[in-house]
């Protein structure tokens, strides 16, 4: 029998997480309990389960401990309180891109774009809904598929239509985008003038960036993206750098912090995310793969401590130290109204082929 990843105890999730040297963590987040156990004991828990009637003495002790934790348990968060006061719209403008990242989750590089009519109807729907439901505003992002600025005409006409609608409906908009920054001064200026929050993908020193994120023709991308970073730091209201961490770069995380500190100072957030084996990363496995979990954790902690000394705030979505979250991401709890280039609606921007979240909408087809 294998060690289970998650076991139920009185309606609470109990996770068994592999650690180092045959250790496991038994983690009961809603019971505020964390235990370090041996792998043999994790196996016994998996075999016996965590019920009151368990006969294994050691496992019974864990059950008693968890029972005592029940009085401090965090109550399930009522769904109606999760309802957002904002409409969350994510637009998939294109599946094309100017870079050829080895690990591209979207497998970008296809000449597939959202038709303008569909784009305008999508924007119209968001504003109509926000007004009808008396929402506080609309959050709009472009985190679906390829690089949103690839078709510059489509991108700028999208922004213009959003700005016109903002005035027409009297509904405020917050625009955010993740971008590869592989473009020149005019485009940087337009982005900085219109987008409130920019997350720039830049994986580290030239050596790391050029290997992870070459141009389509295999050229180095670092010099252009560095210039975008320098410009956005000064000119964008909310700016962060996102570095995807692979098996190649995981041990260099503290070096990346030092390098960015020298290149860019400290007036931005730095987000480290482990590579997710999706899209191109599933076929390029001989060149690149996800980092080992334990290494990511070790080097992330070192990088974070160094960031504190250098005045750079470092984050990762896998560990939020500041608040208790009720869900890992917004896909299930907000949810986001994500429209793909083909007009299919999903709630997760990573679900670009709409395989996981489509069924809440009629066959995944957006009906405007
Ligand atoms: S990861 Fe982003 S920048 Fe890189 S190829 Fe994919 S869409 Fe383009």
């Amino acid at each position: 029998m294998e060690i289970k990843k998650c076991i139920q105890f009185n309606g609470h999730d109990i996770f068994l997480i592999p650690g180092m040297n045959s250790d496991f963590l038994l983690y009961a987040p809603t019971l505020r309990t964390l235990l370090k156990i041996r792998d043999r004991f994790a196996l016994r828990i998996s075999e016996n389960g965590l019920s009151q009637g368990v006969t294994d003495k050691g496992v019974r002790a864990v059950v008693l401990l968890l029972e005592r934790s029940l009085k401090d348990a965090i109550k399930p968060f009522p769904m109606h309180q999760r309802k957002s006061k904002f409409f969350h719209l994510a637009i998939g403008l294109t599946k094309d891109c100017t870079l050829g990242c080895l690990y591209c989750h979207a497998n970008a590089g296809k000449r597939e774009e959202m038709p303008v009519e569909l784009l305008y109807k999508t924007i119209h729907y968001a504003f109509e809904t926000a007004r009808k439901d008396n929402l506080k505003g609309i959050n709009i992002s472009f985190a679906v598929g390829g690089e949103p600025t690839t078709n510059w005409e489509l991108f700028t006409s999208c922004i213009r239509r959003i700005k016109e609608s903002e005035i027409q409906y009297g509904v405020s908009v917050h625009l955010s985008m993740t971008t590869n920054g592989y473009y020149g001064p005019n485009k940087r200026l337009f982005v900085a003038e219109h987008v409130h929050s920019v997350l720039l993908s830049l994986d580290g020193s030239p050596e790391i960036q050029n290997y992870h994120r070459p141009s389509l023709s295999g050229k180095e991308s670092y010099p252009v993206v560095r210039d975008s970073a320098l410009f956005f730091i000064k000119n964008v209201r909310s700016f962060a750098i996102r570095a995807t961490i692979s098996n190649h770069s995981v041990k260099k995380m503290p070096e990346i912090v030092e390098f960015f500190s020298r290149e860019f100072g400290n007036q931005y957030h730095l987000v480290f995310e482990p590579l997710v084996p999706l899209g191109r990363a599933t076929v390029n496995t001989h060149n690149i793969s996800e980092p080992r979990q334990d290494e990511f954790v070790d080097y992330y902690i070192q990088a974070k401590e160094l960031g504190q000394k250098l005045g750079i705030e470092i984050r990762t979505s896998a560990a939020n130290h500041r608040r208790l979250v009720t869900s890992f991401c917004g896909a299930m709890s907000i949810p986001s109204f994500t429209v793909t280039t083909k007009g299919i609606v999903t709630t997760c921007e990573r679900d670009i082929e709409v395989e996981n979240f489509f069924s809440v909408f009629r066959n995944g087809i957006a009906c405007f």
Side-chain angles (χ1 to χ4, degrees), residues 96-101 103-108 145-147 180 213 280:
D96 210 352
C97 189
T98 44
L99 291 187
C101 304
Y103 55 69
C104 180
H105 71 276
N107 208 359
E147 161 63 31
N180 65 21
R213 303 176 65 82
R280 213 139 55 218

Side-chain angles (χ1 to χ4, degrees), residues 229-335:
L230 289 167
F231 183 81
F232 290 148
I233 286 166
K234 285 199 187 125
N235 296 290
V236 171
R237 275 163 266 186
S238 167
F239 176 69
I241 296 175
R242 177 209 157 106
T244 297
I245 299 299
S246 72
N247 57 332
H248 291 291
S249 60
V250 65
K251 292 182 181 168
K252 296 179 179 158
M253 286 163 80
E255 281 172 44
I256 293 172
V257 176
E258 264 180 338
F259 178 77
F260 282 169
S261 162
R262 285 198 303 274
E263 287 279 275
F264 308 124
N266 60 9
Q267 296 304 300
Y268 54 91
H269 299 310
L270 176 55
V271 185
F272 283 122
E273 300 291 1
L275 184 157
V276 179
L278 284 173
R280 213 139 55 218
T282 58
V283 289
N284 266 339
T285 47
H286 50 291
N287 291 323
I288 200 160
S289 65
E290 70 266 44
R292 271 179 38 189
Q293 276 180 14
D294 56 338
E295 288 188 340
F296 182 83
V297 172
D298 279 353
Y299 289 101
Y300 174 75
I301 291 168
Q302 289 180 31
K304 194 167 173 70
E305 285 169 359
L306 184 58
Q308 271 160 2
K309 283 188 199 140
L310 297 171
I312 303 175
E313 186 176 333
I314 295 182
R315 301 177 186 160
T316 179
S317 56
N320 190 331
H321 312 279
R322 294 175 169 231
R323 63 196 169 94
L324 196 63
V325 293
T326 53
S327 57
F328 171 69
C329 72
M332 300 307 288
S333 60
I334 292 178

